Amino acid sequence: MGDIVSIAILDQSASEAHVYFEILVPALEPMLEELRQLDIVLNVEIVKSFDRIYGKRIIIMGGGAQVGQVAIGAISEADRHNIRGEHISVDTIPLVGEQALADATRAVARLPRAKALVLAGSLMGGDIEKAVLEVRAKGLLVISLNMAGSVPDVADLVVSDPVQAGVMAVMAVADTAKFTVERLKRRIF
């Protein structure tokens, strides 16, 4: 039938559930007809995918004030690219504590459409470093603010200015930008 890209249970009660699927199919109508034939299916509706509406996701996490400053840069830059037809969204989560940040870093690799993670704080290392290595191995771009600890040593980019870190995160994932991390001659800014 097709390749399932994403599944989400949007609403659920004891008698029914609203389930969202993103499926890549060579022929849509035959699959829709088969779904409508199932007794368990009450309704089938075609909607635009989250990828098409919200696009790529930049995730910013760490200390609250620094997360806010990174978000200023990321949102401003995303706006410039979105006006040109790109779809980039920015999510933030202020977190503190090694285990909370390590767990959240690992979870970003499982988030739909997440393309880059910016770690904003003043001290990160230990299990967060291990988590960064794990998500980078899965293809996630990781940008770290210049901070104490071992995370800057393992991030793709290290940026001193939080606003610039947000801008660079968006530029790195935008199709409408000419900036690429691979072309950089250094990784610390």
Side-chain angles (χ1 to χ4, degrees), residues 112-132:
R113 304 175 338 275
K115 303 297 180 197
L117 167 64
V118 183
L119 292 168
S122 56
L123 171 63
M124 292 187 197
D127 198 31
I128 304 166
E129 174 191 352
K130 292 174 191 166
V132 166

Side-chain angles (χ1 to χ4, degrees), residues 46-115:
I46 301 171
V47 296
K48 290 182 181 174
S49 70
F50 286 143
D51 188 51
R52 186 165 191 139
I53 294 169
Y54 294 108
K56 300 168 187 158
R57 292 170 84 177
I58 307 293
I59 310 298
I60 305 165
M61 68 174 70
Q66 290 174 319
V67 166
Q69 290 301 301
V70 174
I72 287 170
I75 292 166
S76 298
E77 188 68 15
D79 187 50
R80 290 179 357 94
H81 292 279
N82 291 345
I83 287 170
R84 297 183 191 126
E86 189 88 43
H87 292 266
I88 299 171
S89 58
V90 178
D91 297 328
T92 64
I93 181 166
L95 287 173
V96 295
E98 180 180 350
Q99 198 57 57
L101 282 161
D103 291 345
T105 296
R106 289 182 177 99
V108 172
R110 299 189 306 267
L111 285 174
R113 304 175 338 275
K115 303 297 180 197

